[in-house]
Structure formats: structure tokens, C-alpha cells
Amino acid sequence: MPAWSTRKADASDRARLQSLLMDSCAAAAIPSSDRLDTAVARGLVRVAEADGVLTGCLVAEAPSEGHVRLSVIAVHPARRRRGVAAQLLADAVRDFSGRQSEPPLISVLADPRDTALSRLFLACGFLGTRLMRTGGSEEEVRIHYQHKPRIAYVDPDARHLVPVEDREQLAESLAPSDHAVTALLPLGGGSAFEVARFEQDDPATLQSGEAAAGIAFAGSILAAITFLLGFAFSSTRFPDDVRLLLIGATFSTVLSLIVYASASGELARIRSNSFGKVMKWGNVLSEYGGVLPFLISLPVTYAQASGNLWTTMVLAVALSAAIAWYERSEFSIAHRFRRSLAERALTVLTAASPAVGAGLVAADATSWPWTTVLVLTLAARTWLYLFHRGSEADIAERRQWRIGQSPG
């Protein structure tokens, strides 16, 4: 554990912030008093603190609601090379991205000759997208780095190295919109920027494919649930509570189909940018309202059809184990959201439901308590993911845009 922690700055840090900036930065880089006060008031300043002493700070500004520009990253000279700047940057990016459903553009300018700063940004998920002139002199150019929160893919065969000193070649390499600096590598006793070409995706096509897959999946599940529901109504021994569970699953799956259809319609209104939110509703409703009730009902149906306690319990325990594995895998809906202790308890109840329900039905015991607990568990998980979690992208993702070793 580091001997320091980071937090948002407040008005009481004003004097110590000014002192830290004077000790750590060139005079031209220090924000004015008014800019610093505004940034503190808006929660755009983050400090690193050790034993009550400020060891580093990050100052940003927000020129618009969807754009955050990092102005200064400063670490006291006696505390450098300890990961303070990297932690400040990572915590600030996480804070800025979590303030609204759509992550803002987080950008920063860096001198190409400052290789330590470039390594810091590249290691923290930033890309150098263009070379910008900041003054009249040819020497006054900066690389525009921006944080890359979304998944993108580079062409592994379309990469080249540009020496740090070759500004003209770097500007030419970054001129196409699909090229960016992705790493800083050693070359010939010096350093060189690795410039890679990103594959350009068509968002409308990708979203259309996702909506079509959701509709096809929900339609298949609806057909399976309808078949099982028909068997439930034709059997006189089938528990009424399980019939009601299947009816609820049918309703939830139909509702998810409607939501997926709404997502398809959203493609025609892509300017509203709510496709992801609509898809989250469809995904959660189809899994916790349709797929899981259907799977959990299968051993109950088998218990009614076979009357064999041994084979019923083997099937039920195997299905419980399969659901438990799925819940822990990266393929589940739950994996796309952060998990709390209560949510893990609900996951255990869900996984245990097939074994418990099949055992009760096979033993001709009362199954209403089990059905009630299952319905409440799935309803709680649905409510949790729909209303108390962010979008499905609100998870700590690997830097999937990068192919190969991490830079730096």
C-alpha cells in the first residue's frame, strides 16, 4: 500500500496548493489564482496527501459539459518516481468519467520532448491524436492526448516509429484521423513514438447487429418458455406457483423484445445517444426475467415428468453449478456491473434455486416459499442493475484498444 492517498481538494487546501505548485512547476505553468479557485470550487482539483502533507496535485478545467482539459500535474520534487502522478491521473479520470452517464472527453497537451510525461499519459489509457501549435514558434508544439474509454482496435500491421525529435514526421503521421500515438519506445539510443492505425467502425452497423442479436435471442427464449408453459398447464401435478413463475417469465421476455425493438428504432434517432441505456433494459429483463426463471424451472419440470428423485437431483445440482459458474464468468450480465456483498448473496440464492426447487417438488413438499424467495431475488437483481448501477460500460475494463504489450 502506498504511504499516500488522493482526494478532491477543498478551499482549506488553497494555500498549500499554491505552495506546492510554486515548488514543483515552472512559473508559466502555474494557474492564476482565479482559475485555481474556480477549479477547486467545481471539484476539478485532486491532491495526493501523505501524513497531512500535500505531495502532488492535478488541476483541470471544464470548458464544456462534455470536455475536461487537464492543466497541471505536479508532484513535489522529493516525492517523484513513486507513482504519485499515475495514481492522481487514474483517480481523476475515474472521478471525471463517473460524474455523468456519457464519459466526457478528457484531454491534455504535452511537449513531445517531455518523454516522462508522454509515458505517463500512454500508460494511463491516453492516445496522442494530433500535433497542435501553441505559439508562433515551430518549437511551440504539443501533442494532444485524450483518454480512450471506448473499445477500439488497432491494425497490428499498420504501425511505425517516429523519433521524438522529428516533429515534421510526427505531424504528418498524425494527420489522418485514424492514426494515433499508442506507445513510447526506445530506439537507437533515444526514444520514438509508435504511431498505429485504428480500424474504423460504423457505430450504426454495430448497434444494428447488437439489436438484431438481442431480438433473435429473446425470441428463442420466448418460444422455449411458451413450450414449457404449455406443458405446465397440461399437467395436473405441476405446482401453481411455478406456473405463475413461467407466466412472469413470458411477460418479462415479451417486454424485453419490445425494448430491443425500441433499441432498433433508436438507430434511426441515433442523435439522442440512448441506445446503450435501452439495450441495458433489454439485456437485464431478458436474463433475470426470462432466461434464469426458464432454466431454474427445467429441473422442476423434469421432476414432474419423471418422478425419479435421484436423477432429478443430479440434474438440479448440475444446473445449479452451471448457473454459479456462469454468474462468475465474464459472459454474465452481472459481470458488466460492479458487485456489492448484498449482490453476491443474491447471486448465491439464484444459483441454489434449481437444486432447492427440484428437491421440494420431487418430495411433494410445499414450494411456495421457494418460488417467493426466487421471485424476490430476481426482482431485486433487476431493480439493482436497472436503477442503482450505471451503464454496462461502467466497469474497469482492460485497455482493449491496445494490441501487444502495455507501453512504458
Side-chain angles (χ1 to χ4, degrees):
M1 293 290 291
W4 39 265
S5 59
T6 75
R7 60 172 175 83
K8 287 183 183 179
D10 54 42
S12 64
D13 298 314
R14 179 67 176 76
R16 293 189 296 165
L17 265 174
Q18 193 71 37
S19 176
L20 173 65
L21 289 169
M22 292 179 65
D23 292 340
S24 310
C25 302
I30 300 176
S32 66
S33 298
D34 290 342
R35 284 179 58 194
L36 190 59
D37 290 340
T38 300
V40 170
R42 298 181 64 181
L44 297 174
V45 179
R46 196 165 194 92
V47 296
E49 190 174 36
D51 300 324
V53 178
L54 296 189
T55 61
C57 70
L58 181 148
V59 182
E61 54 185 324
S64 67
E65 183 179 352
H67 192 167
V68 175
R69 167 66 66 86
L70 307 183
S71 303
V72 178
I73 301 178
V75 178
H76 193 277
R79 299 298 182 109
R80 290 174 181 171
R81 300 187 181 278
R82 302 184 185 182
V84 177
Q87 190 63 49
L88 273 170
L89 187 56
D91 291 347
V93 167
R94 188 180 305 111
D95 177 44
F96 298 149
S97 299
R99 294 187 182 186
Q100 46 192 305
S101 57
E102 182 68 16
L105 170 65
I106 303 175
S107 67
V108 64
L109 298 179
D111 191 330
R113 295 167 295 186
D114 192 342
T115 55
L117 198 57
S118 288
R119 283 194 177 93
L120 171 66
F121 294 135
L122 292 168
C124 292
F126 283 73
L127 294 175
T129 57
R130 56 184 50 85
L131 208 59
M132 302 182 66
R133 193 178 304 280
T134 57
S137 169
E138 292 187 1
E139 295 296 319
E140 297 182 40
V141 294
R142 298 292 184 269
I143 297 180
H144 177 270
Y145 287 101
Q146 64 185 68
H147 189 252
K148 187 68 174 176
R150 297 172 180 83
I151 298 173
Y153 299 94
V154 300
D155 183 346
D157 297 324
R159 294 181 286 177
H160 62 277
L161 299 177
V162 179
V164 169
E165 299 80 9
D166 196 342
R167 309 286 179 79
E168 185 177 346
Q169 180 59 56
L170 184 59
E172 181 181 335
S173 296
L174 295 179
S177 61
D178 57 351
H179 283 62
V181 173
T182 56
L184 185 63
L185 305 173
L187 180 68
S191 298
F193 293 110
E194 181 185 70
V195 179
R197 185 180 70 83
F198 282 77
E199 297 178 353
Q200 297 294 299
D201 295 322
D202 180 5
T205 300
L206 295 175
Q207 291 180 355
S208 178
E210 184 178 352
I215 291 173
F217 175 76
S220 301
I221 292 297
L222 180 61
I225 294 174
T226 303
F227 173 80
L228 194 61
L229 188 61
F231 177 83
F233 280 117
S234 65
S235 173
T236 57
R237 297 176 57 243
F238 209 92
D240 289 335
D241 53 317
V242 181
R243 290 193 183 102
L244 291 176
L245 177 65
L246 290 173
I247 291 174
T250 303
F251 172 77
S252 181
T253 306
V254 171
L255 189 59
S256 71
L257 273 172
I258 296 173
V259 172
Y260 284 133
S262 176
S264 297
E266 181 65 24
L267 294 174
R269 303 180 297 277
I270 197 169
R271 62 184 182 277
S272 65
N273 202 29
S274 61
F275 176 83
K277 296 178 182 179
V278 176
M279 287 298 293
K280 184 183 83 165
W281 274 78
N283 293 339
V284 171
L285 288 173
S286 66
E287 177 153 324
Y288 296 104
V291 176
L292 288 177
F294 167 69
L295 293 177
I296 293 170
S297 300
L298 287 178
V300 175
T301 305
Y302 183 81
Q304 290 293 338
S306 69
N308 188 316
L309 178 61
W310 169 251
T311 56
T312 295
M313 292 312 299
V314 169
L315 173 64
V317 171
L319 189 56
S320 288
I323 291 177
W325 171 85
Y326 169 75
E327 292 280 11
R328 291 178 58 85
S329 74
E330 62 181 284
F331 308 109
S332 68
I333 296 294
H335 182 77
R336 307 178 190 180
F337 304 93
R338 65 183 185 275
R339 302 190 188 191
S340 63
L341 185 61
E343 198 276 333
R344 289 188 176 92
L346 293 174
T347 300
V348 171
L349 288 175
T350 303
S353 292
V356 175
L360 291 174
V361 172
D364 290 328
T366 303
S367 58
W368 275 103
W370 164 78
T371 307
T372 302
V373 171
L374 175 60
V375 169
L376 291 177
T377 298
L378 296 177
R381 299 187 71 182
T382 301
W383 173 78
L384 181 69
Y385 295 138
L386 289 181
F387 301 106
H388 280 256
R389 293 290 186 268
S391 63
E392 292 179 353
D394 189 22
I395 59 177
E397 294 211 20
R398 297 185 298 274
R399 295 173 59 200
Q400 298 184 48
W401 55 265
R402 185 73 175 92
I403 294 179
Q405 299 296 322
S406 297

